[in-house]
Amino acid sequence: MPFLVILVLDDPDLSDALLDAWEAAGVKGVTILESTGIGRVRRAALRDDMPLMPSLRDIMRGGEEHHRTFFSVVESEEQVETLADAAQQVVGDFSQPNTGLVFAVPISH
């Protein structure tokens, strides 16, 4: 059964190293999206450098930090484990704060 592996990477500077590790582990394709979480959005809303009446451009231009979310489909649970291990070699211990999150879900359709 195939699986969708999803990894949210807290530090986008590690993206190239993660992609290298996943390619070395046999991944054939990865989709990458820029993403952010509610905590970062709320912290950005508390910025004190915004004009009283900000435009959308002012809001988007701000120093909001982003994650990168990686998606890849693999054919087996063993491949899921291989990707998770490869990611941990790049990112470090996912149980630590500000590292990221990796999980997989089976694909039925």
Side-chain angles (χ1 to χ4, degrees), residues 3-6 22 27-31 70-74 83:
F3 291 85
L4 176 63
V5 179
I6 300 133
W22 276 18
V27 166
K28 293 183 171 78
V30 179
T31 298
F70 299 78
F71 301 89
S72 188
V73 174
V74 298
L83 292 188

Side-chain angles (χ1 to χ4, degrees), residues 4-107:
L4 176 63
V5 179
I6 300 133
L7 185 143
V8 179
L9 183 62
D10 194 66
D11 182 355
D13 292 337
L14 297 175
S15 295
D16 286 337
L18 177 73
L19 289 172
D20 290 343
W22 276 18
E23 283 181 325
V27 166
K28 293 183 171 78
V30 179
T31 298
I32 306 163
L33 299 177
E34 193 170 89
S35 57
T36 194
I38 191 169
R40 290 182 183 203
V41 168
R42 297 224 192 265
R43 280 192 303 273
L46 298 175
R47 291 179 26 213
D48 61 358
D49 64 335
M50 294 293 289
L52 183 59
M53 298 294 289
S55 67
L56 183 56
R57 172 188 246 158
D58 290 329
I59 293 169
M60 298 307 288
R61 183 175 359 127
E64 185 173 309
E65 299 173 30
H66 295 278
H67 304 288
R68 293 245 168 88
T69 302
F70 299 78
F71 301 89
S72 188
V73 174
V74 298
E75 293 301 320
S76 69
E77 197 165 344
E78 292 79 24
Q79 288 175 302
V80 171
E81 292 298 326
T82 299
L83 292 188
D85 291 343
Q88 191 158 336
Q89 292 295 317
V90 172
V91 176
D93 185 355
F94 280 104
S95 68
Q96 297 300 309
N98 303 315
T99 53
L101 170 72
V102 63
F103 64 97
V105 292
I107 299 172

